[in-house]
Amino acid sequence: MAMTGNSGRGGFSNKLGFILAAAGSAVGLGNIWKFPFEVADGGGAAFLILYLGFCFILCYPVMVAEITIGRHTNKNPVGAFKALKGGGFTIVGLLGIISGFLILSFYNVVAGWAFGYFLEMVQGNFGIGQEFGSFTANWQRVGFYGLIFMAITAFIVSRGISGGIEKAARFLMPALIIMILGLMFYAFTLPHAGEGLSFYLVPDFSEITFDVVYSALGQAFFSLSLGMGALITYGSYVSKKDNIVSSAAYITLFDVGIAFIAGLMMFPLVAYLSEGDMASISGGPGLIFVTLPGVFESLGPVLGIIIGSVFFLLLSFAALTSTVSLLEVPVAYVVDEWKIKRSAASWLVAGLIFAIGVPSLLSYGASASLSSMNVLPGVEGGVAFLDLVGFIANDTFLPLGGCIISIFVIYKWKRKNFDAEIEEGNPGFKGSFLQKYLNITLSYIAPIVLAIIFLLTFLNLYFGITLL
Ligand code: TRP
């Protein structure tokens, strides 16, 4: 039963439901797959400190801005900017819908890999790690896994907010926490766990370069699902009684906490395989799909199957609550603006996004020309189509979106209206330190930092020009 939302669009049943769903959106492949190795590449705890700083200082205010716009207007990103007489700003809403299409089109492919690996682990096929290349090149098979993943996503979104998205998150998020904590404690008991942990946690400030600062910000932004109106959309289903600033704080903490725990789990596992020789580990995206099956194999057949299956099930669950949020953005748009029924809209949009994802699906081995494209002057060698879409959407559209959203709330919608919406459900907000802090960050810090990052990335990726 939808308890909130006065527009008949449905809503979250309470604050916890919203926090779990939004945290579900935030916690995804980004936390468990990408975060640990970004940490390792960026000097361990040195990266971690930067990442935490960006999350709380810069990203948190943008998150509050998105949720507040959504709750005030009760609309999808495009409808929200229109309702606030955003004029040219409405473009950002549209950019958000397009980003949702693009991100989900390739994210679902990787989610399909995770799901496929779960099925392999259940059968004890640990050799799959060495066959990662031929696994992804088998497009019929991974395409089938992707299709199943998209169908589950569409099913959840078609059931609506409280009966679909929230219900799924209420089951998936606790299950995810139990699995990740279980794996973490297990990993602590393995030989060489200490070496893995010190690799992860001992800071090396000499490794901090501009690239590291930039990737910490990019990771914070993507990980918190910011910049494309996903939280405008989820915010539109939040009750006026809820306290937005505390909800946003919980969501941020949740996301950061899970990313941190993912590292605590991952590095002891990797150290176990390499017998403590962390330098021998090839990191990067292959880590989970190439290295981990070998770790599970070395645990013996029974334990290996259990731990390996739990791990890839965990990864699939994390991905699922994220694909749901990515699909919800364009679906909310179609439902609100084109007045199409939610169930029809969900299946239609999901089908379209799956089709858009076909080149990504083919770009990890199946098609040679899509697997290595020489289109980005800023990237050495060829890029796979899947990564190209990631560069365009994650690295350029999201920071641009976040920058314009910050400018919008303060300068177009106006501070006093923004503050008034936050005050609903939070009477103590007026005159508080937090109020001043949010205003200052959104007025100056977020627009300037995000504009700089956007410009530098844009010049670098598309023109090969490096200014910093
Ligand atoms: N945050 C998710 C992750 O870390 C990905 C994601 C889901 C996302 N929804 C989003 C990223 C919206 C940006 C915008 O994997």
Side-chain angles (χ1 to χ4, degrees):
M1 251 278 283
M3 310 297 287
T4 59
N6 45 17
S7 54
R9 300 161 75 242
F12 292 110
S13 42
N14 56 32
K15 185 174 167 184
L16 179 68
F18 165 60
I19 291 172
L20 285 176
S25 165
V27 173
L29 297 168
N31 301 57
I32 294 160
W33 176 46
K34 241 171 112 206
F35 178 76
F37 258 80
E38 295 230 12
V39 174
D41 293 341
F47 179 94
L48 196 63
I49 294 165
L50 277 176
Y51 171 78
L52 291 177
F54 282 137
C55 281
F56 288 103
I57 296 171
L58 198 79
C59 296
Y60 169 74
V62 178
M63 181 185 288
V64 172
E66 283 204 23
I67 298 172
T68 308
I69 293 174
R71 191 180 69 173
H72 184 78
T73 57
N74 261 288
K75 289 264 167 49
N76 68 89
V78 170
F81 284 104
K82 273 196 206 151
L84 294 172
K85 309 227 177 347
F89 283 95
T90 310
I91 284 278
V92 197
L94 208 55
L95 194 69
I97 312 286
I98 296 170
S99 305
F101 265 82
L102 295 180
I103 298 177
L104 183 54
S105 78
F106 74 82
Y107 196 93
N108 185 66
V109 173
V110 182
W113 297 347
F115 181 60
Y117 262 58
F118 164 66
L119 300 178
E120 296 295 335
M121 287 299 125
V122 171
Q123 299 168 54
N125 179 14
F126 302 113
I128 193 75
Q130 295 314 310
E131 295 158 18
F132 178 61
S134 46
F135 173 82
T136 58
N138 186 343
W139 67 270
Q140 291 96 331
R141 186 163 142 212
V142 284
F144 177 66
Y145 296 145
L147 197 62
I148 296 181
F149 212 89
M150 188 66 93
I152 299 174
T153 305
F155 175 74
I156 294 173
V157 171
S158 75
R159 305 297 299 257
I161 307 310
S162 56
I165 296 177
E166 178 181 333
K167 210 169 168 187
R170 278 181 189 270
F171 166 71
L172 294 170
M173 293 312 282
L176 181 138
I177 294 174
I178 292 169
M179 286 192 275
I180 200 167
L181 286 177
L183 285 182
M184 178 191 82
F185 285 119
Y186 175 73
F188 286 171
T189 66
L190 292 170
H192 304 292
E195 280 123 296
L197 288 176
S198 62
F199 178 70
Y200 178 40
L201 295 174
V202 176
D204 178 356
F205 289 101
S206 69
E207 281 194 45
I208 296 210
T209 57
F210 176 75
D211 263 4
V212 172
V213 176
Y214 154 74
S215 56
L217 179 65
Q219 174 64 15
F221 224 70
F222 182 78
S223 179
L224 290 168
S225 299
L226 296 176
M228 57 158 267
L231 289 163
I232 294 182
T233 311
Y234 274 19
S236 74
Y237 307 115
V238 167
S239 158
K240 294 278 185 201
K241 293 199 290 287
D242 287 354
N243 180 332
I244 294 177
V245 291
S246 74
S247 297
Y250 285 123
I251 297 162
T252 307
L253 276 172
F254 208 124
D255 185 61
V256 169
I258 297 281
F260 184 66
I261 294 170
L264 292 178
M265 161 192 77
M266 195 75 72
F267 288 100
L269 285 178
V270 174
Y272 170 67
L273 185 72
S274 64
E275 298 186 341
D277 177 13
M278 298 306 286
S280 71
I281 293 297
S282 59
L287 178 81
I288 276 193
F289 293 108
V290 179
T291 312
L292 281 186
V295 177
F296 302 138
E297 181 166 26
S298 63
L299 299 174
V302 179
L303 206 57
I305 288 183
I306 297 174
I307 302 287
S309 310
V310 169
F311 178 83
F312 284 103
L313 188 63
L314 158 91
L315 194 62
S316 305
F317 278 12
L320 183 58
T321 45
S322 298
T323 54
V324 161
S325 79
L326 287 162
L327 182 60
E328 174 58 26
V329 176
V331 166
Y333 168 71
V334 170
V335 169
D336 292 346
E337 308 298 308
W338 300 353
K339 310 277 180 261
I340 295 180
K341 268 219 183 91
R342 170 169 283 274
S343 55
S346 307
W347 292 102
L348 217 71
V349 176
L352 196 60
I353 295 179
F354 184 80
I356 295 174
V358 168
S360 292
L361 175 68
L362 298 176
S363 73
Y364 262 69
S367 151
S369 49
L370 288 172
S371 302
S372 178
M373 303 167 68
N374 280 308
V375 283
L376 288 182
V379 183
E380 266 174 58
V383 272
F385 188 86
L386 189 153
D387 297 297
L388 174 68
V389 183
F391 280 123
I392 295 173
N394 303 353
D395 294 359
T396 35
F397 287 3
L398 296 184
L400 180 65
C403 174
I404 303 180
I405 288 169
S406 317
I407 295 173
F408 174 80
V409 284
I410 302 292
Y411 301 104
K412 178 79 186 173
W413 186 25
K414 300 287 188 242
R415 252 178 74 164
K416 63 174 194 316
N417 298 320
F418 174 62
D419 286 351
E421 180 63 37
I422 299 179
E423 259 174 62
E424 293 227 27
N426 183 6
F429 182 66
K430 202 172 189 168
S432 65
F433 168 75
L434 197 63
Q435 183 196 23
K436 296 188 189 72
Y437 174 68
L438 288 175
N439 277 324
I440 290 175
T441 357
L442 291 170
S443 308
Y444 311 107
I445 304 174
I448 293 171
V449 173
L450 292 169
I452 292 175
I453 296 284
F454 166 73
L455 273 175
L456 290 175
T457 313
F458 189 78
L459 290 175
N460 181 286
L461 270 184
Y462 304 107
F463 299 97
I465 301 170
T466 310
L467 297 181
L468 265 178

